[in-house]
Amino acid sequence: MSVFKKIINREIESNIVYEDDLVIAFLDISQATKAHTLVVPKKDYQNIYQLDEKTAGHLFKVVVKISQAIKKAFQPDGLNIVNNNGAVAGQSVFHYHIHIIPRYKGDDFSIKYVNHSQDYSKEDFIKIKETIINSLS
Ligand code: 5GP
């Protein structure tokens, strides 16, 4: 059983900030930044590919609601929404979750985006776009 399922079942302690029938939100134990919060569906979805539409929609509403509460409470200078899927993407708990990471000037959190646009021709972009479009079902 995942650590988040144990939190949902109250088998281990956590600092819960919100809960309803479908989702729960609690402080991430690492506190990458102050008020770093996780929003988690109660059902055992491992990753984004397993999420159903109803849960996904509701989950994001809760993410917005909690982000607004954190903004009101702590006045961060910015905020990242992060979701890791798969170990290679940094996922360490295999129960779906969204990180709300408030950002404060001078904090030490980072996500690095490297610009690789020079490696792609206009045709490459079109080909990638069309491949995605063709995969939408
Ligand atoms: P991931 O790396 O899977 O995207 O994120 C997992 C997160 O779960 C990490 O940020 C980690 O700090 C958090 N975490 C792991 N174990 C616990 C725990 O027992 N309690 C809480 N509140 N958070 C946890």
Side-chain angles (χ1 to χ4, degrees):
M1 188 192 291
S2 80
V3 69
F4 293 168
K5 198 69 188 178
K6 288 182 183 165
I7 287 173
I8 291 163
N9 294 345
R10 306 303 201 269
E11 290 169 33
I12 61 171
E13 265 185 35
S14 70
N15 291 286
I16 295 168
V17 299
Y18 177 88
E19 183 171 21
D20 62 31
D21 289 349
L22 295 178
V23 307
I24 188 166
F26 49 87
L27 297 185
D28 189 298
I29 201 162
S30 72
Q31 290 297 282
T33 64
K34 186 177 186 178
H36 175 190
T37 300
L38 299 173
V39 186
V40 180
K42 288 186 169 175
K43 266 201 200 169
D44 296 332
Y45 305 106
Q46 280 196 9
N47 52 45
I48 196 164
Y49 312 113
Q50 296 180 350
L51 273 187
D52 68 76
E53 211 168 276
K54 182 181 167 201
T55 305
H58 181 64
L59 191 77
F60 203 71
K61 274 189 198 164
V62 173
V63 168
V64 172
K65 187 184 178 80
I66 293 169
S67 298
Q68 285 167 340
I70 289 173
K71 182 173 186 285
K72 188 174 162 191
F74 296 102
Q75 292 98 43
D77 301 302
L79 185 136
N80 289 111
I81 301 297
V82 177
N83 160 228
N84 303 321
N85 296 280
V88 74
Q91 186 173 11
S92 60
V93 175
F94 293 86
H95 181 126
Y96 186 79
H97 54 282
I98 294 179
H99 295 258
I100 299 175
I101 305 173
R103 301 299 306 278
Y104 307 94
K105 278 180 193 138
D107 71 32
D108 59 4
F109 182 81
S110 73
I111 300 178
K112 188 173 148 195
Y113 294 96
V114 177
N115 185 348
H116 291 291
S117 63
Q118 285 180 340
D119 302 340
Y120 294 84
S121 65
K122 197 175 172 192
E123 290 70 35
D124 291 333
F125 272 96
I126 291 169
K127 204 169 169 191
I128 294 167
K129 174 193 75 175
E130 285 175 349
T131 305
I132 295 171
I133 290 171
N134 290 337
S135 300
L136 292 169
S137 49

